Amino acid sequence: MSERKLRVLVGKPGLDGHDRGAKVVARAFRDAGFEVIYTGLHQTPEQIVSAAIQEDVDCIGLSILSGAHNTLLPRVCQLLKEKNAEDITVFGGGVIPEDDIPGLKAAGIREIFTPGSSTDMIVQWVRDNVKPHA
Amino acid sequence: MSLAERILQGDIRAAARLMRDIDDGFGSAVEELKTLYPHTGNAYIIGITGPPGAGKSTLVDQVTAAYRSRGKRVGIVAIDPTSPFTGGAILGDRIRMNRHASDEGVFIRSLATRGHLGGLSHSTGDVVNVMDAMGMDVVIIETVGVGQDEIDIVRMAHTTVVVMVPGLGDDIQAIKAGILEIGDLFVVNKADRPDADRTVRELAVMLEMNSYREGAWRPKVLKTEAQKNLGIEEMVNEVEAHREHLFGTGEIRRIIEEKHAKQFLDNLRDRLFAEVYGHIHINGRFRKILDDIVERRRDPYSAVEEIIAEHLGRD
């Protein structure tokens, strides 16, 4: 029997135009042997969730630098729940104040990577915490 | 309920999961595909191929919008390369197609080549079958960026569109064998670039040098600027003209037969190989054969003959 290859969606919800971080992380995932669906800038939570379902990804990594994380990230988790897809792990990264992290985790975001996180750290976290769908 | 039954009832997650099972080579996927097969054969399959950066994804996005405005449901299979070193891939074709993400009449799936040559992934044909069974009227396959020799698409699609851009080479490139022989339609995208008319002319001259049977389809060369949505209606009309030609002349039958012959034989070869491959790995036999060949105790040709004879039950 063949093995599952891990599939991860990397996207940027909202309006900020800085995708360098997202691209660096996408590249690190590729080098870790994952299949990365890169959806690019200016995504609505609806577009992200719809893409995640069509692509049957195991997890979604969202990069956000606009300050709208408290709205957009929980919205992704809520939409996944509505579509019976809450088995897809969501994590985020970007300029996110420490004080906001507990609230985001309570809303279903499994992990938040703030500036200074290394790509090795993020890849290792995915390996440890995301198991491909059976 | 099986995945196939859920798919036939319109379950998107089930379809996405079966595509994953197909791509990952799960044996269970074959059983599901058997159930779906009677529900396939209705979608019209369009292949879009061409070199990297020609604008294939942007064209697919615009063509999808055009078919949506004609009331058609559209499936898209977009293929990008797998890294030969890590096995990972960045599948970025969706970036150009995101506006269709939340349209329920569109289903987009990105596939990685996973080492398969020819411009498609090994799973492409079966993933197209799933979209067909989902009730997509049109399925668009976007190949990886191709060079000259990746022409599997022609055995998968009913209409093949070859996308070129100005300035890739002189007209001798155009008379070489390969992708320039397979287009039912040629599109020169990024037609606002200075050399566009020259590229159109060179392609047209190349096509005029072909000999056509009486009543045969003659590929046209069209200009598009996909980013500005220019030339797209004309392109879709030409695809539709080709479709009408195929059905009007009955040529569609030949295309479908060739496609099924290839898929059947590919499948047969894969299954036979997988079975024999599994067989020779029992009890370290492969290791022994290999040692014998390396040490020159026996030749590889009779080793192969022996395995085959054994497996086919002859001596």
Side-chain angles (χ1 to χ4, degrees):
Chain A
M1 182 66 61
S2 294
E3 257 180 48
R4 280 278 191 236
K5 189 178 278 280
L6 197 107
R7 281 168 75 89
V8 47
L9 184 150
V10 174
K12 282 196 58 73
L15 294 176
D16 77 272
H18 304 279
D19 59 357
R20 189 171 171 87
K23 283 177 174 159
V24 167
V25 171
R27 169 75 195 258
F29 286 155
R30 185 201 80 178
D31 291 343
F34 307 160
E35 283 183 358
V36 185
I37 290 86
Y38 186 73
T39 61
L41 292 165
H42 308 316
Q43 300 294 293
T44 64
E46 285 78 6
Q47 286 174 324
I48 287 166
V49 167
S50 173
I53 288 174
Q54 292 179 2
E55 299 288 354
D56 196 38
V57 296
D58 303 298
C59 57
I60 301 175
L62 298 172
S63 157
I64 187 159
L65 300 163
S66 66
H69 48 268
N70 284 334
T71 322
L72 295 171
L73 298 187
R75 177 83 183 129
V76 168
C77 292
Q78 185 200 335
L79 286 167
L80 284 171
K81 196 170 256 173
E82 283 170 20
K83 305 248 180 193
N84 284 322
E86 63 265 48
D87 54 311
I88 300 175
T89 304
V90 180
F91 58 97
V95 188
I96 294 171
E98 286 292 330
D99 290 351
D100 289 347
I101 293 177
L104 292 170
K105 287 196 171 171
I109 320 296
R110 287 278 300 282
E111 190 57 271
I112 297 288
F113 297 96
T114 50
S117 308
S118 71
T119 54
D120 285 348
M121 208 168 109
I122 300 172
V123 167
Q124 195 54 49
W125 183 86
V126 171
R127 285 194 199 285
D128 293 342
N129 290 278
V130 181
K131 294 288 161 261
H133 297 308
Chain B
M1 211 188 301
S2 74
L3 286 177
E5 285 162 347
R6 286 167 57 198
I7 291 166
L8 294 173
Q9 289 178 11
D11 184 334
I12 296 296
R13 275 215 100 184
R17 180 58 48 81
L18 178 55
M19 291 175 190
R20 180 92 175 270
D21 290 351
I22 291 166
D23 218 15
D24 288 338
F26 278 34
S28 59
V30 175
E31 296 307 313
E32 306 284 356
L33 285 165
K34 287 180 191 172
T35 309
L36 291 183
Y37 194 75
H39 303 273
T40 61
N42 305 310
Y44 195 75
I45 303 166
I46 301 168
I48 309 265
T49 191
K56 293 183 294 299
S57 301
T58 310
L59 266 175
V60 169
D61 171 67
Q62 299 287 16
V63 168
T64 299
Y67 273 113
R68 289 300 290 144
S69 72
R70 296 177 187 204
K72 306 285 187 196
R73 299 182 70 204
V74 182
I76 300 168
V77 183
I79 299 146
D80 266 331
T82 293
S83 159
F85 302 111
T86 67
I90 292 187
L91 311 175
D93 292 322
R94 284 190 87 99
I95 298 173
R96 320 271 177 228
M97 308 173 193
N98 274 321
R99 63 176 163 147
H100 303 295
S102 27
D103 176 352
E104 291 189 351
V106 178
F107 187 104
I108 307 171
R109 182 56 167 235
S110 315
L111 297 174
T113 53
R114 299 194 180 181
H116 191 78
L117 304 175
L120 303 175
S121 72
H122 187 262
S123 56
T124 302
D126 288 334
V127 169
V128 169
N129 276 341
V130 177
M131 290 191 179
D132 194 344
M134 288 167 79
M136 297 300 166
D137 301 299
V138 175
V139 175
I140 304 174
I141 305 171
E142 178 188 340
T143 72
V144 293
V146 301
Q148 295 171 320
D149 204 19
E150 296 95 333
I151 55 170
D152 279 2
I153 187 63
V154 78
R155 292 279 175 274
M156 194 73 75
H158 299 131
T159 298
T160 301
V161 181
V162 175
V163 185
M164 304 298 287
V165 278
L168 279 185
D170 62 17
D171 54 0
I172 196 68
Q173 295 296 340
I175 59 173
K176 287 185 184 171
I179 62 165
L180 291 175
E181 291 179 284
I182 65 170
D184 299 306
L185 167 59
F186 291 84
V187 166
V188 176
N189 193 36
K190 307 190 183 181
D192 54 326
R193 290 201 181 167
D195 274 347
D197 287 325
R198 206 185 100 193
T199 306
V200 170
R201 227 170 22 247
E202 285 171 357
L203 283 167
V205 168
M206 171 208 75
L207 291 168
E208 275 166 27
M209 287 194 283
N210 291 353
S211 54
Y212 297 96
R213 281 180 294 103
E214 181 73 22
W217 174 258
R218 287 171 178 258
K220 283 195 186 141
V221 185
L222 301 179
K223 287 199 285 188
T224 56
E225 286 177 58
Q227 251 180 6
K228 294 186 199 149
N229 200 19
L230 295 175
I232 304 302
E233 277 301 312
E234 292 81 350
M235 175 182 161
V236 172
N237 288 341
E238 193 61 13
V239 170
E240 289 298 307
H242 183 243
R243 184 223 285 254
E244 279 162 30
H245 168 85
L246 292 179
F247 280 91
T249 57
E251 211 184 320
I252 189 74
R253 176 82 197 180
R254 178 186 60 80
I255 289 181
I256 291 173
E257 272 178 15
E258 283 178 5
K259 172 181 135 117
H260 284 87
K262 179 175 188 323
Q263 289 178 357
F264 177 75
L265 293 173
D266 282 354
N267 199 354
L268 182 64
R269 188 190 52 217
D270 293 348
R271 292 290 290 266
L272 280 175
F273 179 76
E275 212 159 292
V276 176
Y277 187 79
H279 179 78
I280 59 173
H281 277 79
I282 298 168
N283 299 332
R285 181 150 174 227
F286 181 68
R287 185 72 247 171
K288 184 168 181 319
I289 294 171
L290 192 60
D291 283 344
D292 285 348
I293 293 170
V294 171
E295 300 295 333
R296 296 310 195 259
R297 285 193 292 266
R298 66 180 312 188
D299 70 89
Y301 314 101
S302 37
V304 166
E305 280 168 7
E306 181 190 299
I307 300 284
I308 289 175
E310 225 173 79
H311 220 76
L312 294 179
R314 305 196 230 108
D315 34 44

